[in-house]
Amino acid sequence: MSKRTEQVADEIQRILSEVIQYELKDPRVGFATVVGVDVSADLQHAKARVSVMDETQRADTMEGLERARGFMRRRVAQELRHLRMVPELHFVLDTSLDYSMRIDEVLRQVELERRSNPPGDATSDATKD
């Protein structure tokens, strides 16, 4: 991405985060966080990666965001008046937080197993025979 598209993406992320946190009244939209925004080179499309903390409410939250997409696009247009065209918003569920939490859990399990069963000196035992 060019510097310009990065700046526009950062601004859209800031605006969407504020709108979701303070202005959306939809009860389906719970703890949703805009993790990042990727803007196409021609500034026609913006893909917002959204993380939802509660696994049981993910589908409802994404549905609520899709319903409010027009409202949020209008708010982006009001904030970014210098843009000739306001990007079409696309919301994507971001599961990278879940993935990193799973990796942490596996590493903790390995650490616990290693502490309970410390590795022996298997190579020295095999060479003595």
Side-chain angles (χ1 to χ4, degrees):
M1 284 197 312
S2 70
K3 184 177 180 182
R4 169 110 170 108
T5 56
E6 284 183 28
Q7 289 173 340
V8 170
D10 290 343
E11 279 299 305
I12 291 174
Q13 180 180 354
R14 181 190 61 78
I15 294 165
L16 290 177
S17 295
E18 289 176 3
V19 168
I20 290 171
Q21 187 174 7
Y22 300 115
E23 297 179 28
L24 276 187
K25 304 274 190 269
D26 194 336
R28 295 176 294 183
V29 180
F31 290 109
T33 305
V34 179
V35 177
V37 175
D38 297 322
V39 179
S40 64
D42 60 357
L43 300 177
Q44 295 293 314
H45 299 277
K47 181 171 65 171
R49 295 185 313 277
V50 179
S51 176
V52 181
M53 292 301 292
D54 190 4
E55 292 181 22
T56 59
Q57 292 183 346
R58 286 185 177 164
D60 290 339
T61 298
M62 294 306 289
E63 186 178 315
L65 290 175
E66 283 297 322
R67 290 244 330 142
R69 187 169 63 176
F71 169 72
M72 288 190 277
R73 185 176 185 203
R74 186 170 53 247
R75 289 292 292 123
V76 169
Q78 290 170 351
E79 294 281 330
L80 300 178
R81 286 176 291 224
H82 63 278
L83 290 181
R84 181 176 296 160
M85 292 286 297
V86 179
E88 184 72 31
L89 299 176
H90 305 280
F91 294 101
V92 178
L93 184 63
D94 185 56
T95 58
S96 61
L97 182 62
D98 295 336
Y99 184 70
S100 64
M101 288 173 52
R102 175 70 181 134
I103 289 174
D104 286 342
E105 180 182 322
V106 168
L107 289 174
R108 276 193 218 102
Q109 288 176 353
V110 168
E111 182 64 28
L112 286 174
E113 288 178 17
R114 192 172 269 175
R115 286 183 183 180
S116 65
N117 300 325
D121 199 5
T123 55
S124 64
D125 292 341
T127 55
K128 289 182 181 177
D129 291 333

